[in-house]
Structures are given as C-alpha cells and as structure tokens.
C-alpha cells in the first residue's frame, strides 16, 4: 500500500495544552492498524510549551506526523478549518489536545465499520469524562449509554450535541466557506455530515473527554451573565441560519424551532434580571426576525409547554 495515500487522517487540534498534549499524542501512536494513515496536528500559536512537545514527536515520527502551525493566534474556527481541510485520508478521526483515546484498536474498529457501511458518513462511540478543573479523579461517568446503533439528521437536529469530539470518525469532505466564522465546529459538522449519510454508534468506550470549563451559569443574575448569554444566543442563531443555508433549507422547520428556543432562553433570562433589558432584547429579536416569526414561534412553544404539563 502506498504510504503517501493515507486511508485515515488523524486530526488533532490544540491550543495551550502543554499539560495534556503528550498524553493525546501517545494515545494516537499506540493505535494498531492495518491501513496507511497520517497524523496532522494544528496548533493555534500556543504561548506555552505545546508546540515544543509537538515538534519533539514530529522529529521522532517525521513520516507519520504533519503539522499546521499558525504563525499568530487565528482563533479556534480557522484553526479547525485549516486542520480538517489539510486531511488527505478517505476518513478523518478527530481529537482535541486535552483528550485521549483508551483503546488501541479504536481506529481499526471505526475504519472497519465505515468500510462495510458505505451509506454512513460518521460513526462514534462511548467516552468517559474527566474534569480538569477539579482535583484529579478516575473518569467513571460514561456517555451515550442509551444511544441507538443508527441515527439520522433528524436525531442530530432534535438532540443537539451528543457526539463527543474525541469519538468522531467520518468521511473526509472539505469544509464550506464561512465555517470558520462559527463559534463551534463539532455540532455544525455533525449536521453537515448527517445530511450526507447515516450515523453509526459503536457501543464501546474508547476515549476520555476532558472538561475544562463549567460553562455559563444561568442562575446568577448579573450584567456580565446577560452579556455572555446574549453573545452565546447570537452565535447559536448565526450558526443555525448558516446550517439552514448549507443544507438547502431542507430542515428549516427544525432549525427555526431551535432559533425560537434560543430567543426564548435569552428573553426568559433577561425577564428575571431586568424588565428594561427584557424589553430591549425583545425589540432586538423582533427587529432581527420579524413580529410574525417571533409570535408564531412563541405561541407554538407555549402550546408545547402546556402539552408537556398536561402529560
């Protein structure tokens, strides 16, 4: 087999992962495979020792490891796109620099699955969690324990982000223009892939996912929380409208429902925080989306809530 034509590209993205990157790389190198492959590592100009560690491994494995080194901090979106679009393999296995794989046959198992399921565009597996912001402890909480063996685009649209990044193994395709402007990469990639084929679930735990931040708290009513939430909602809506365009408006009803959910989340939060802020956000929502869209969406959401209460 020609080593210059990899079947699988392992794409590792990193930024300031000095404490974890070596474990991530070692977990990749331990993989036992019967196909040609490559490892691509994209570093977004980390200010710590991350790049030095990558260079050490590239020197040890020059035929296997390629790098995408940003010369300045370009942000996660562009680094993500540059990484994925550098892949030469038929398939891509994705991992972040603070996660690692725990099964030495992970790549082979996912490769074999995709080979016998050509109508699938993505497969994933269970992972375990570990929390970086707490005292170190065993990662004992498994994800996706009840997932079905097959999912579709409608499952992705309804359930949201349920495929953990270090478990993703998917058909290579070039990310479209504008993807780098999205505030996250995983979920929109899931949608675009699910639009191309079905999704398979391997009911085995083969990776460790490290959680590094606790997210936005919606229980503390401060101006900083309102600002953060407003930006998050704006980013979510921008992403949903982008996906609507990229999928040819085939899932408009699902995506519009998610936009309504985001606006409702923001307005509910600001209503508790400040009536002045609430009215301001309501005017902005109407100006951006139209009275008809807001009214119809919120009425539909109200009926859904009543139905849930009744049941």
């Amino acid at each position: 087999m020609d080593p210059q034509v990899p079947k699988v590209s392992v794409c590792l993205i990193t930024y300031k992962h000095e404490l974890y990157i070596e474990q991530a790389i070692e977990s990749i190198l331990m993989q036992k495979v019967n196909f040609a492959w490559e490892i691509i590592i994209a570093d977004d100009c980390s200010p710590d020792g991350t790049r030095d560690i990558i260079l050490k491994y590239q020197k040890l494995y020059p035929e296997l490891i390629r790098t995408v080194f940003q010369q300045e901090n370009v942000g996660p979106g562009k680094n993500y796109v540059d990484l994925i679009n550098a892949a030469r393999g038929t398939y891509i296995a994705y991992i972040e620099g603070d996660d690692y794989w725990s099964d030495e046959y992970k790549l082979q198992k996912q490769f074999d699955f995709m080979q016998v399921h050509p109508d699938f565009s993505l497969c994933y597996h269970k992972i375990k969690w570990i929390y970086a912001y707490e005292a170190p402890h065993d990662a004992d909480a498994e994800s996706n324990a009840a997932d079905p063996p097959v999912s579709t685009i409608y499952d992705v649209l309804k359930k949201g982000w349920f495929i953990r990044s270090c478990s993703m193994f998917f058909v290579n395709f070039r990310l479209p223009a504008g993807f780098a402007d999205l505030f996250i990469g995983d979920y929109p990639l899931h949608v675009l892939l699910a639009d191309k084929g079905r999704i398979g679930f391997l009911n085995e735990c083969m990776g460790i996912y490290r959680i590094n931040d606790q997210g936005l708290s919606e229980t503390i009513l401060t101006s900083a929380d309102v600002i953060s939430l407003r930006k998050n909602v704006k980013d979510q809506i921008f992403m949903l409208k982008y996906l609507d365009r990229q999928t040819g408006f085939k899932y408009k009803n699902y995506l519009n429902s998610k936009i309504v959910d985001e606006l409702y989340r923001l307005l509910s939060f600001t209503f508790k925080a400040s009536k002045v802020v609430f009215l301001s956000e309501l005017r902005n929502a109407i100006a951006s989306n139209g009275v008809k869209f807001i009214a119809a969406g919120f009425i539909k959401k109200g009926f859904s809530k009543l139905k849930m209460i009744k049941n």
Side-chain angles (χ1 to χ4, degrees), residues 125-191:
H125 54 76
K126 289 194 293 188
I127 58 93
K128 288 186 179 181
W129 312 90
I130 190 168
Y131 294 85
Y133 51 83
E134 295 178 355
H137 60 82
D138 291 336
D140 54 6
E142 286 192 357
S143 73
N144 308 96
D147 283 12
V150 179
S151 297
T152 69
I153 179 70
Y154 298 103
D155 297 305
V156 175
L157 293 173
K158 291 176 183 177
K159 294 167 65 176
W161 181 70
F162 64 93
I163 301 169
R164 310 310 172 197
S165 55
C166 66
S167 73
M168 293 164 52
F169 190 101
F170 55 94
V171 173
N172 189 356
F173 83 106
R174 190 168 184 82
L175 295 177
F179 196 95
D181 297 327
L182 305 179
F183 79 111
I184 55 171
D186 290 355
Y187 179 70
L189 179 60
H190 300 163
V191 173

Side-chain angles (χ1 to χ4, degrees), residues 1-35:
M1 185 178 295
D2 186 351
Q4 300 303 314
V5 185
K7 286 290 185 181
V8 174
S9 297
V10 175
C11 289
L12 190 160
I13 195 166
T14 184
Y15 178 66
K16 293 202 302 185
H17 289 148
E18 180 182 26
L19 297 177
Y20 313 117
I21 189 70
E22 189 158 357
Q23 187 176 29
I25 295 173
E26 287 287 351
S27 77
I28 298 170
L29 292 171
M30 77 173 184
Q31 295 298 304
K32 299 183 185 304
V33 300
N34 64 9
F35 49 80

Side-chain angles (χ1 to χ4, degrees), residues 179-228:
F179 196 95
D181 297 327
L182 305 179
F183 79 111
I184 55 171
D186 290 355
Y187 179 70
L189 179 60
H190 300 163
V191 173
L192 295 179
L193 285 167
D195 185 46
K196 299 176 182 295
R198 296 194 291 171
I199 297 172
F201 173 56
L202 282 65
N203 194 12
E204 298 181 56
C205 185
M206 297 189 279
I208 306 298
Y209 183 90
R210 186 176 275 111
I211 300 173
N212 278 306
D213 61 66
Q214 301 182 51
L216 172 67
S217 170
E218 295 190 27
T219 59
I220 303 173
L221 301 179
T222 68
S223 59
D225 289 332
V226 172
I227 292 170
S228 298

Side-chain angles (χ1 to χ4, degrees), residues 49-110:
T50 299
R51 187 164 295 191
D52 291 336
I53 297 171
I54 296 168
L55 287 169
K56 178 186 74 173
Y57 278 97
Q58 187 183 36
K59 187 176 180 179
L60 291 171
Y61 302 93
E63 301 300 319
L64 183 61
I65 297 177
R66 296 196 291 129
T67 59
V68 177
F69 283 162
Q70 308 294 354
Q71 298 308 305
E72 60 181 7
N73 184 250
V74 297
K78 186 176 187 324
N79 199 38
Y80 189 96
V81 170
D82 288 350
L83 172 64
I84 299 300
N85 285 349
R88 299 178 297 172
T90 305
Y91 305 108
I92 292 174
Y94 180 78
I95 182 171
E96 298 179 359
D98 54 348
D99 300 331
Y100 61 96
W101 294 334
S102 55
D103 187 325
E104 62 186 4
Y105 293 101
K106 169 202 149 69
L107 287 183
Q108 189 67 56
K109 291 173 182 178
Q110 292 188 281

